[in-house]
Amino acid sequence: MKPFTYERANSPAAAAAAAAARPGAKFLAGGTNLLDLMKLQIETPAHLVDVNGLALDKIEPTGPGGLRIGALVRNADLATDARVRRDYGVLSRALVAGASGQLRNMATTAGNLLQRTRCPYFYDTHMPCNKRLPGSGCSAIGGINRSHAVVGVSEQCIATHPSDMAVALRALDATVETVRADATTRTIPIADFHRLPGNTPHIETALQAGELITSVTLPPPVGGTQSYRKVRDRASYAFALISVAAIVQRDGTGRVALGGVAHKPWRVEAAEAEMPRGAKAVVARLLSGARTTHDNAFKLPLAERTLAAALAPGSTRS
Amino acid sequence: MNCSDDLTITRRGVLLAGCGATAAASLPTSAAAQGAATEAPVTARVTLDVNGTSHALELDTRTSLLDALREHLHLTGTKKGCDQGQCGACTVLINGRRVVSCLSLALMHDGAKVTTIEGLGTPGSLHPMQAAFVKHDGYQCGYCTPGQICSAVGMLDEIKRGVPSHASGDIAAQPLLSAAELRERMSGNICRCGAYSNIVDAITEVAGGTA
């Protein structure tokens, strides 16, 4: 790990200003992804701004009847909150489908959104990777890419976003609230928060330098039967090959978001009009224009079957 | 054994020499790839309450909680397995919650109460979970065992607090104490010897035998 200087922030605005003032500075919250990447020298921040002392660890009701989740609420605490389990079951289920018990006690809401891809070439510093070293090339294209993205890919990157939580937040139309280095705040819809790789796969979110996530807000509950189904190579503690967050209403309408298929949680609202006609029709719209490789083409039928299971009557299990 | 001094080579010595050679060989590549200059280490102060004793430490900012426990406080019961958060051997309790100490900086825990395997019980007065692992033969080589035991203690508290899991049928209900629940909740602790069934037996006994 490269040496770095360290400070504890006193307020969100001060943290944003401190991070913006130091080139190469990073926020430190749960640390579960950042420290791993620092050990491998994939991340080499010269300065860490520890935000753990900020009072951003509450889950509070909002005026319109939703929930505001503090950026520092740990994944386990968010999954356990009685309001989340009752009204936003897809979020609770997505959270417990990810990582391990220990990591869910550490990882934060904001950090979960900001975690980086587990593409093995991103992690291997001896291999070209446009995300890690822009312009060096993509080793996954033409390499071992069974776990990689099938939609929204570019010639520069076919990595997936690894988060389960973000897939549920996309289905729930959550928003991300931030504070910038000049102390101004803004709200970013989750749909616009993560970016597709395009020609700049190293730029993964809409955040500006020093911009700090302060909370994630859930709109009022939408009801329905909520499920999160995750298909992976082992039954627990593995990243998704395919995951489906589904909210199904009694009349068969609803919402669907996929994980494991793209550089961001994947939802196409127009495809949801097909829900009463079943999984095949939905996935045809949802994954239209897919660009698969020899090794990951299985994800298209797997997405359809996983969605079919999620849409089956009585499906709430993850 | 009757070895002359120049033939006395420890395994650790060989490993260290090997690592040094590898690091030296790969340094130009990684330095060029990352474009980062090497700078001097930075130190900072932190106070940790470990097993009921307060320790004021001045540490390199890079020091993980795991290395602070093992290398600075010489509490070597906590094991370093993968050092990447994947194996669970370094699991300790922070303010009663289980975490992997390898993916945490010591500096992040100023004033926190850390409980390691040494703080759960002693050879003369075992924690019930330690006693159950012995009784049920919940290990073979034992390397993962301190992490398994700390994790199991934290995990049972999570069930008591109603923390749901991927194995929970009804996400809104109080979780059950089933074998499926215990296995899912312990998936962050790897045992390469494969003592899993006995580990489940040990935890089940401590939990009250309802699994």
Side-chain angles (χ1 to χ4, degrees):
Chain A
M1 200 185 289
K2 296 284 185 184
F4 55 85
T5 49
Y6 171 94
E7 72 178 292
R8 297 188 183 101
N10 294 319
S11 74
R22 302 282 290 265
K26 285 258 177 197
F27 298 117
L28 174 66
T32 54
N33 191 209
L34 180 61
L35 294 177
D36 187 27
L37 293 169
M38 286 170 67
K39 289 181 184 190
L40 297 165
Q41 296 189 19
I42 294 164
E43 297 272 16
T44 54
H47 184 68
L48 288 185
V49 180
D50 186 338
V51 296
N52 283 292
L54 304 182
L56 299 173
D57 56 352
K58 305 286 188 302
I59 305 174
E60 299 164 320
T62 62
L67 282 182
R68 183 179 299 108
I69 304 158
L72 290 170
V73 173
R74 310 289 154 169
N75 288 178
D77 296 325
L78 182 56
T80 305
D81 185 275
R83 295 160 294 186
V84 175
R85 289 157 80 184
R86 184 188 65 216
D87 298 331
Y88 305 95
V90 64
L91 177 56
S92 228
R93 287 212 168 275
L95 284 160
V96 297
S100 67
Q102 291 96 317
L103 293 174
R104 290 192 294 270
N105 280 339
M106 305 164 76
T108 62
T109 305
N112 190 313
L113 288 176
L114 295 175
Q115 65 178 307
R116 309 203 63 191
T117 186
R118 267 42 172 220
C119 172
Y121 299 107
F122 174 69
Y123 264 76
D124 184 348
T125 52
H126 295 91
M127 298 293 285
C129 170
N130 286 323
K131 187 181 280 298
R132 176 168 32 77
L133 193 65
S136 63
C138 174
S139 304
I141 297 173
I144 296 169
N145 50 35
R146 176 174 169 274
S147 65
H148 288 70
V150 294
V151 278
V153 298
S154 74
E155 295 299 326
Q156 278 69 47
C157 182
I158 57 171
T160 57
H161 194 270
S163 172
D164 293 297
M165 182 194 80
V167 180
L169 292 181
R170 181 70 180 88
L172 291 167
D173 280 330
T175 55
V176 181
E177 290 81 38
T178 69
V179 60
R180 288 178 283 199
D182 61 2
T184 59
T185 61
R186 65 168 173 156
T187 298
I188 306 169
I190 188 75
D192 302 331
F193 185 79
H194 294 106
R195 296 161 48 108
L196 289 177
N199 291 321
T200 54
H202 59 292
I203 303 173
E204 297 170 346
T205 71
L207 295 179
Q208 301 164 354
E211 189 170 9
L212 177 73
I213 298 173
T214 50
S215 60
V216 171
T217 297
L218 303 176
V222 294
T225 300
Q226 304 195 2
S227 64
Y228 188 79
R229 282 187 173 260
K230 181 174 181 180
V231 182
R232 42 187 163 173
D233 283 335
R234 57 183 188 219
S236 184
Y237 200 12
F239 292 97
L241 291 169
I242 289 284
S243 68
V244 174
I247 301 172
V248 185
Q249 305 294 346
R250 280 167 170 245
D251 62 2
T253 62
R255 304 177 183 185
V256 171
L258 299 184
V261 298
H263 201 252
K264 58 189 286 185
W266 194 255
R267 181 177 172 202
V268 178
E269 277 81 346
E272 292 163 5
E274 305 287 343
M275 281 182 69
R277 281 174 285 283
K280 192 178 183 69
V282 175
V283 170
R285 289 285 292 276
L286 195 52
L287 299 182
S288 71
R291 268 170 58 192
T292 60
T293 67
H294 176 269
D295 288 341
N296 72 9
F298 74 94
K299 287 193 174 189
L300 302 188
L302 185 59
E304 184 186 321
R305 290 169 194 164
T306 309
L307 179 59
L311 298 183
S315 172
T316 55
R317 290 298 302 268
S318 38
Chain B
M1 233 164 72
N2 184 17
C3 295
S4 65
D5 279 352
D6 55 350
L7 286 178
T8 309
I9 302 170
T10 64
R11 190 171 66 145
R12 174 169 289 220
V14 171
L15 287 170
L16 285 172
C19 287
T22 308
S26 65
L27 195 57
T29 315
S30 58
Q34 303 305 325
T38 306
E39 290 171 25
V42 181
T43 61
R45 291 178 187 281
V46 64
T47 300
L48 300 174
D49 178 333
V50 183
N51 302 329
T53 304
S54 182
H55 299 272
L57 299 169
E58 176 144 6
L59 299 173
D60 186 315
T61 55
R62 295 170 291 183
T63 310
S64 67
L65 177 60
L66 172 61
D67 284 344
L69 293 171
R70 285 182 57 86
E71 308 298 334
H72 295 267
L73 299 178
H74 308 296
L75 292 167
T76 53
T78 305
K79 301 304 183 201
K80 182 181 280 192
C82 68
D83 208 25
Q84 296 180 320
Q86 296 179 5
C87 76
C90 66
T91 302
V92 300
L93 301 167
I94 297 181
N95 299 326
R97 289 164 64 118
R98 57 178 173 158
V99 303
V100 283
S101 57
C102 71
L103 288 188
S104 216
L105 296 178
L107 291 180
M108 292 162 63
H109 302 289
D110 194 44
K113 288 189 188 309
V114 182
T115 305
T116 69
I117 190 71
E118 293 93 340
L120 279 182
T122 62
S125 176
L126 295 180
H127 183 280
M129 192 67 77
Q130 292 172 314
F133 268 67
V134 172
K135 177 181 168 186
H136 290 278
D137 203 13
Y139 49 82
Q140 185 174 314
C141 80
Y143 196 80
C144 74
T145 310
Q148 296 274 5
I149 290 174
C150 286
S151 185
V153 169
M155 183 273 293
L156 288 184
D157 182 60
E158 288 165 13
I159 292 183
K160 200 179 293 177
R161 289 189 284 113
V163 177
S165 91
H166 185 63
S168 305
D170 179 356
I171 200 80
Q174 173 66 26
L176 303 171
L177 204 60
S178 66
E181 281 277 11
L182 298 188
R183 286 177 178 275
E184 160 61 27
R185 289 169 187 271
M186 291 297 291
S187 69
N189 291 84
I190 308 293
C191 170
R192 286 297 69 161
C193 302
Y196 295 114
S197 59
N198 292 356
I199 291 170
V200 170
D201 288 347
I203 298 171
T204 300
E205 178 170 304
V206 176
T210 53

